[in-house]
Amino acid sequence: MKKVKLNEIYEFSSGLSKPASEFGYGQPFLSFKDVFYNSAVPKVLNQLVNTNTEEISKYSIKKGDVFLTRTSETQDELGFSCVALEDYVDATFNGFTKRLRQKEEDTVVPEYARYFFRSKYFRRQVNAYSTLSTRASLNNEMLSNFEIFLYPLEEQRAIGLFLQRFDNQIELNKKLKNTLEELVKMIFKSWFIDFDPIYSKLNNITSYFNNHINSLFPDDFTTIDNKIIPKNWVIKPLGEAFTWNEGKPWKKENRAEDGKIIAYGANGPVGFSLSEMHNDQAIFVGKIGSCGAINFHNGPFWVSNNSFYLLKNENKYFEFCRYSLLNIDFTKYIGGSSNPYMPFQNFSHHNIIYPTENILIEFEDFASKIQEKIELLRKKNLILSDIRDLLLPKLISGEIKLTEAEKFAKEASI
């Protein structure tokens, strides 16, 4: 293994800059977010840009290319990498990133580069050389000072493919998790929005639900307040149907650099807290800024007053609560323009159709079991990520050998 300056093996190029009117149609385009959120270039680039032959040639994406975020508001978002594991026909990349292309092919294995440029070793170099004025930025001179650990090609390939096994398993778990979530959404929609079991009875159609499930549902509808709902069901305002809470001010003295107690804002985690507010399953609904944004958590947490929250311990039919909120359009209850907000009184009167308890019990039992499987997959992915992130710098630096790393992989069933 040897250390080599990046400019010895890579050529540096900035990406394509175009007016907004040129986007939304044309050829595939690698965006800043694509680079920031993915260690490998996504197989499908969803953004499009209108480009000509010359631009496609100059800003092309080829297997082995490394893309780095070159400018950002903060240093934390600077120098994040994304590596092309294949060629992308007619695709170009954005002007807020740098492309590193090998001067000679087969110097760096793409799978190895994928993990090296996301390693702590490379991140430390970015933090050491980058400057912060109004915006953090990386230029060619800085990149020239960065170093890469180079192993023989076969060893690079072995390291990259080993670490990729973790990401492949994480991706499989995510797909299974999404499938399970969609299954519950489908059942919720069928029972509580489309009322399929009831219409099957009314139209004398064989239901795809079993006899027990079908027996729980009424065989007709009724009208309440000019709204047609299933017989024996009721209408409840959102403020009464579930038990709501509001977060507390996010003060500096309560914040931690890291830890196990995640602090939530209006649109997800905002940091870590020194103390927990609750240790429970919770649903967060954004109140200020990201109004109506919905997030979920299981475990100890702290939540700011930019968000409302609901606890499993306070809501008997928590899963019904979860999927009911996912089916509400909160945008119509948002006030303000420069600083959007959504006070409780704006949406608390929103009516939902509330079923009989025997149906709620059945849905809660079904959805809770699925949620347990989803939670298990989430925890498995956290473990896989931790093991990968533990092994990555040690393998890259040569601190441990692949044979030793394989023992960890075996324990994680990879």
Side-chain angles (χ1 to χ4, degrees), residues 39-40 43 85 111 114-115 159-176 377 380-381 384-385 388 412-414:
S39 61
K43 286 189 173 293
L85 302 181
E111 289 80 6
R114 173 184 183 180
Y115 295 100
I159 291 172
L161 293 177
F162 171 79
L163 293 168
Q164 190 170 293
R165 283 158 54 187
F166 287 87
D167 282 312
N168 289 345
Q169 187 60 55
I170 289 170
E171 190 59 31
L172 283 174
N173 289 345
K174 283 180 179 178
K175 288 180 179 179
L176 178 54
L377 290 168
K380 282 183 177 179
N381 275 359
L384 289 170
S385 296
R388 180 201 61 203
S413 301
I414 296 298

Side-chain angles (χ1 to χ4, degrees), residues 80-95:
F80 270 83
S81 63
C82 185
V83 177
L85 302 181
E86 58 187 78
D87 293 338
Y88 287 76
V89 179
D90 294 338
T92 55
F93 66 101
N94 79 93

Side-chain angles (χ1 to χ4, degrees), residues 10 27 29-30 61 75-76 99 103 105 111 113 177 194 196 222-223 267 276 282 288 297 307 353-354 395 400 403:
Y10 287 111
Q27 306 301 329
F29 182 71
L30 181 69
I61 301 176
Q75 284 179 295
D76 293 337
R99 183 188 67 195
K103 293 179 178 179
E105 291 187 3
E111 289 80 6
K177 174 178 170 289
D194 296 336
D196 288 335
T222 188
T223 301
N267 195 28
E276 68 182 50
I288 298 175
H297 181 79
S307 197
I353 299 174
Y354 205 84
L395 281 170
I400 64 172
T403 51

Side-chain angles (χ1 to χ4, degrees), residues 78-197:
L78 194 66
F80 270 83
S81 63
C82 185
V83 177
L85 302 181
E86 58 187 78
D87 293 338
Y88 287 76
V89 179
D90 294 338
T92 55
F93 66 101
N94 79 93
F96 293 106
T97 61
K98 284 283 188 183
R99 183 188 67 195
L100 282 59
R101 176 165 288 174
Q102 295 179 48
K103 293 179 178 179
E104 296 182 12
E105 291 187 3
D106 297 329
T107 303
V108 184
V109 174
E111 289 80 6
Y112 173 78
R114 173 184 183 180
Y115 295 100
F116 173 81
F117 284 98
R118 287 263 172 166
S119 68
K120 290 181 180 178
Y121 177 79
F122 185 73
R123 294 299 307 156
R124 283 197 295 268
Q125 293 185 84
V126 172
N127 292 333
Y129 278 96
S130 62
T131 56
L132 183 63
S133 51
T134 54
R135 287 180 70 88
S137 62
L138 282 180
N139 57 41
N140 289 359
E141 183 181 352
M142 294 174 189
L143 289 172
S144 297
N145 287 306
F146 295 170
E147 296 176 330
I148 182 172
F149 288 128
L150 274 192
Y151 294 87
L153 290 177
E154 284 306 312
E155 197 167 346
Q156 288 184 43
R157 188 170 288 106
I159 291 172
L161 293 177
F162 171 79
L163 293 168
Q164 190 170 293
R165 283 158 54 187
F166 287 87
D167 282 312
N168 289 345
Q169 187 60 55
I170 289 170
E171 190 59 31
L172 283 174
N173 289 345
K174 283 180 179 178
K175 288 180 179 179
L176 178 54
K177 174 178 170 289
N178 292 338
T179 299
L180 291 172
E181 288 173 343
E182 289 303 314
L183 173 62
V184 183
K185 288 178 182 179
M186 182 185 73
I187 296 298
F188 182 91
K189 183 175 183 294
S190 178
W191 288 14
F192 305 120
I193 297 176
D194 296 336
F195 311 121
D196 288 335

